[in-house]
Amino acid sequence: MPKDKLRLLLMVSLSITLLATIAAYGYMSIILNKVNIGSSVVIILPLLVILFMAFFITRKYKDVKRGMPLEDEYSKKVMLKASSVSYYLTLYWLLFIGWFEEPIANLVGLQNLDAGQTTGLGIAGMAVFFFFFWFYYSKKPNLA
Amino acid sequence: MRNKIKELRTKYNLTQEDLAKKVGVRRETIIFLEQGKYNPSLQLAHDVAKTLKTNLDELFIFD
């Protein structure tokens, strides 16, 4: 299934791009002597996303190699359910970040979070929610 | 909803993976189908019935 392989390749490329960006950010933080808890969080959270991607891609790669489709009606349902629930929860997560921005910033040794850090925290939260619910729904049948 | 997928699959000496490949789904979907924990689309139900040389009324038992 060349289409499935192409999609898998695209996922790998995206993960590598993200990894390269984090590496560049980390390197620049060290060069500019800006390593603190805040910048570490900005690096660690996307790394979690990459870990999830690696797990996801390995699983999919094994399936494609065995001649299975990359996705079917059940896995699409799981994706849809996990995406919708994580999107819904992310709205509350963003509200939480908005309301408790200062305590969160203090927690990581900063006075305030800048726009990039806030966005990163929001996206990372969404990724964590998605991973959790994707895993939960892939093991739980009877999806409505 | 109960079904006879496992019974017929065994009759035709098909593994879950074989059946999955024949109907173009993943093995997990067949596992959940056999356990009666997933209600397939009409298209998938039709494909499974056709592969197992039966019809929908025979394959699925509506309680």
Side-chain angles (χ1 to χ4, degrees):
Chain A
M1 289 172 199
K3 198 181 158 192
D4 285 347
K5 282 181 182 165
L6 192 71
R7 288 181 64 183
L8 213 53
L9 198 69
L10 198 69
M11 283 186 212
V12 174
S13 314
L14 271 173
S15 304
I16 291 171
T17 310
L18 187 60
L19 195 63
T21 311
I22 296 166
Y25 180 81
Y27 180 71
M28 286 309 286
S29 298
I30 293 166
I31 293 285
L32 298 170
N33 206 16
K34 278 187 174 175
V35 181
N36 54 32
I37 303 172
S39 62
S40 306
V41 169
V42 173
I43 291 170
I44 290 165
L45 290 178
L47 274 177
L48 284 176
V49 177
I50 289 174
L51 270 178
F52 168 64
M53 287 287 276
F55 168 76
F56 189 76
I57 289 168
T58 315
R59 206 178 124 131
K60 295 282 182 187
Y61 175 73
K62 281 179 188 167
D63 288 342
V64 170
K65 214 175 163 186
R66 272 171 32 220
M68 296 275 155
L70 195 60
E71 58 180 10
D72 65 0
E73 61 175 54
Y74 184 74
S75 64
K76 275 181 191 168
K77 240 178 190 179
V78 170
M79 277 289 231
L80 195 70
K81 188 86 179 169
S83 308
S84 59
V85 173
S86 58
Y87 171 76
Y88 183 69
L89 285 177
T90 303
L91 297 177
Y92 287 99
W93 173 237
L94 290 174
L95 276 177
F96 178 83
I97 296 171
W99 285 332
F100 299 102
E101 190 223 330
E102 218 174 291
I104 294 170
N106 293 341
L107 203 68
V108 291
L110 297 170
Q111 281 201 323
N112 283 301
L113 296 176
D114 63 28
Q117 286 162 337
T118 312
T119 314
L121 208 56
I123 292 170
M126 191 178 207
V128 171
F129 287 138
F130 179 78
F131 172 68
F132 176 79
F133 285 104
W134 176 80
F135 195 75
Y136 173 72
Y137 287 119
S138 3
K139 300 289 164 203
K140 180 186 180 284
N142 282 335
L143 285 177
Chain B
M1 184 172 68
R2 288 178 294 128
N3 64 67
K4 292 181 183 169
I5 296 175
K6 191 175 180 182
E7 187 187 321
L8 290 168
R9 178 177 62 76
T10 319
K11 184 182 162 189
Y12 291 112
N13 283 325
L14 288 170
T15 62
Q16 288 174 331
E17 198 163 321
D18 293 334
L19 181 59
K21 278 180 190 170
K22 278 180 190 283
V23 296
V25 295
R26 298 163 59 78
R27 193 172 147 256
E28 290 86 352
T29 308
I30 299 296
I31 294 171
F32 286 142
L33 267 178
E34 285 188 355
Q35 291 173 350
K37 290 177 178 172
Y38 175 58
N39 293 336
S41 66
L42 191 57
Q43 180 68 56
L44 179 57
H46 170 264
D47 291 347
V48 172
K50 201 175 163 186
T51 308
L52 297 175
K53 295 170 189 139
T54 184
N55 56 53
L56 292 178
D57 282 344
E58 289 286 323
L59 192 60
F60 294 98
I61 302 145
F62 296 91
D63 295 318

